[in-house]
Amino acid sequence: MAQERTERSGPGGDAGRAPWTPREDRGPVRYGPPAPDPGLPVLPELAGVVAAAAGRSEPEPTGGSEPLREAAAAYWTRRGLRGGPECVAAAPGASPLLLALIAAHGGDVLTPRPCPATWIPQARLLGRPAYHVPTPAECGGVPDPYALLETVRRVRAEGGRPRLLLISVVDDPTATVAPPELVREACEAAVAEGMHIVSDETWRDTLHRPHDTVLLSPAEMCPDDVTVVCDLAGALTPSAWPVAVARFPDTERAAVRHARTLDILTALGALVAGPVAAAAAHALSEPEAVTARVRRAAALQAQVAAAAHRAVLAAGALARPPQAGRHLYADLGPLRARLATRGVTDSLELEEYLTERLGAPTPGGHRFGDELGALRVRLGTGPLLGSTPEQQMESLTAVEPLKLPHVARALSIFGTALDELR
């Protein structure tokens, strides 16, 4: 697909700017979009923990050491999800953990549309059928309950076995938070149809307005039917240190799936690196330095994401107001005619065009399960915080970060790239 597009190029942008040419290395197989960049340096306290553990020679056990699992269990207990370390499993990142979880459950997989970019590839790698379910207008991450029931009915009529529903209450890519009533209705519908739920809560600690946003985990509603997954790179650790944890229900059936998950992680050799495990356990214990960084980062992202959202709307595009994370999901459909004059007719070409214009990854909606012809894209806000650790720290500590010269300049470039499409 990408090679076909290299034979034609857009007519160019502003005067004096080289014509945009699609790249050859953005095929759907070998290119996977990175998670939204935090745009902040590593917390010194966590770097110190990694350095202190760098001399460890023994590997972590499959599923994580007891200190790591105890820290994860305590982290969830503080959020109202009680359980012991025996109900926890850790892996070197969300992708191998999700792969093991899908493999440990039989049947077909259902996901909302759009969904995180890593979900569908895991199911396809296992040869499992995966079906997208539309989300309601107000948010992403959780399927519309009626559409979910209709999809289950259709899949069964075609001979399928829908057994696993993946959802994200705090969503990537849409940066929205699903309202509790929607979460309840969707989960109750899934459980009534005999499905198990995997709730990805990677972004739950990145709420832009935590005191004004009601966040309810599906595990609070259906404790025996929900496995919770958290990639610590969402808020607690750098993305360069891959580690994710899963919390299983405290039931006999879940214990069997937990054991099966550990078997699969063992077969994959998916072990958390010892120094990373030490840092993850420290971060999960939430000392003051970690919680202060999380709060400041979320408050900073709230301001920058709101400014980016205003720029998207000012350009005539559409986007739901971002409520969490360090990204937003824009629909440039209203700018289709202008984009077409530049050789951009689908989300793959839009991805390549904006990545070049903005100088940062801007994965198209097709990466998240949306139609290729829909002109949607995930826009990260981390790159707007500065290009050096010094600028990023200045952004983090500033009272009015939007007035900093490097932030204002980055937002101006961001807005101009969109505004020229009007």
Side-chain angles (χ1 to χ4, degrees):
M1 181 180 297
Q3 291 179 346
E4 293 175 357
R5 289 185 173 80
T6 60
E7 297 176 0
R8 65 182 199 270
S9 61
D14 298 337
R17 178 176 290 173
W20 165 73
T21 302
R23 291 172 51 177
E24 297 182 6
D25 61 349
R26 289 301 180 89
V29 177
R30 286 170 292 176
Y31 171 70
D37 181 13
L40 294 172
V42 175
L43 184 66
E45 183 169 315
L46 291 182
V49 174
V50 169
R56 289 178 49 178
S57 60
E58 71 279 3
E60 283 279 296
T62 301
S65 62
E66 188 168 351
L68 175 55
R69 291 183 290 109
E70 286 179 342
Y75 166 88
W76 275 308
T77 296
R78 291 191 293 273
R79 286 155 180 77
L81 303 178
R82 300 188 178 276
E86 68 280 359
C87 296
V88 175
S95 290
L97 185 55
L98 182 60
L99 179 72
L101 287 171
I102 295 174
H105 290 77
D108 303 344
V109 178
L110 272 63
T111 75
R113 182 197 292 267
C115 69
T118 58
W119 286 6
I120 298 302
Q122 306 304 318
R124 288 176 177 166
L125 185 61
L126 293 167
R128 298 289 180 82
Y131 302 90
H132 289 295
V133 185
T135 56
E138 66 265 31
C139 69
V142 177
D144 177 88
Y146 297 101
L148 174 62
L149 292 173
E150 174 59 24
T151 302
V152 169
R153 183 201 64 78
R154 176 175 55 82
V155 171
R156 285 181 176 153
E158 296 172 353
R161 297 187 304 130
R163 297 287 296 278
L164 192 63
L165 173 65
L166 309 182
I167 63 175
S168 54
V169 178
V170 184
D171 187 41
D172 171 27
T174 65
T176 58
V177 179
E181 59 273 16
L182 171 65
V183 178
R184 181 179 296 279
E185 291 175 4
C187 290
E188 289 178 348
V191 171
E193 294 295 331
M195 302 182 69
H196 188 76
I197 300 166
V198 172
S199 175
D200 186 336
E201 300 182 8
T202 293
W203 302 98
R204 68 170 298 153
D205 293 326
T206 68
L207 299 181
H208 293 173
R209 296 173 181 79
H211 300 297
D212 301 327
T213 307
V214 180
L215 171 61
L216 195 60
S217 170
E220 297 179 67
M221 306 175 185
C222 308
D224 294 341
D225 299 287
V226 177
T227 298
V228 179
V229 173
C230 179
D231 186 341
L232 271 60
L236 298 176
T237 61
S239 55
W241 305 351
V243 57
V245 288
R247 173 193 177 275
F248 292 78
D250 188 10
T251 66
E252 292 184 6
R253 176 180 295 182
V256 173
R257 289 170 174 162
H258 179 269
R260 176 62 176 155
T261 299
L262 295 181
D263 288 341
I264 296 164
L265 292 173
T266 300
L268 294 172
L271 306 178
V272 182
V276 172
H282 185 77
L284 285 165
S285 68
E286 297 184 292
E288 175 57 29
V290 171
T291 56
R293 166 61 74 89
V294 170
R295 287 195 303 269
R296 289 178 180 175
L300 171 61
Q301 291 292 349
Q303 295 187 59
V304 176
H309 182 250
R310 290 193 292 271
V312 169
L313 298 184
L318 305 173
R320 298 183 181 100
Q323 297 174 278
R326 39 189 182 256
H327 54 283
L328 64 156
Y329 198 56
D331 183 351
L332 276 64
L335 309 177
R336 183 177 296 275
R338 178 67 171 170
L339 283 165
T341 66
R342 296 171 181 246
V344 177
T345 60
D346 60 31
S347 63
L348 178 56
E349 293 168 339
L350 179 63
E351 170 185 293
E352 296 172 345
Y353 177 84
L354 285 179
T355 293
E356 179 179 308
R357 287 290 186 264
L358 298 176
T362 55
H366 60 287
R367 307 293 182 187
F368 310 103
D370 263 332
E371 297 286 347
L372 181 65
L375 295 174
R376 299 189 182 108
V377 65
R378 187 185 69 188
L379 300 167
T381 53
L384 303 175
L385 306 183
S387 57
T388 67
E390 292 75 20
Q391 288 181 344
Q392 294 165 352
M393 286 304 299
E394 188 179 8
S395 299
L396 185 65
T397 56
V399 176
E400 296 181 297
L402 300 186
K403 294 185 177 181
L404 293 173
H406 62 270
V407 175
R409 183 168 56 254
L411 282 169
S412 176
I413 294 172
F414 179 90
T416 299
L418 295 173
D419 201 50
E420 67 184 15
L421 300 175
R422 297 181 66 179

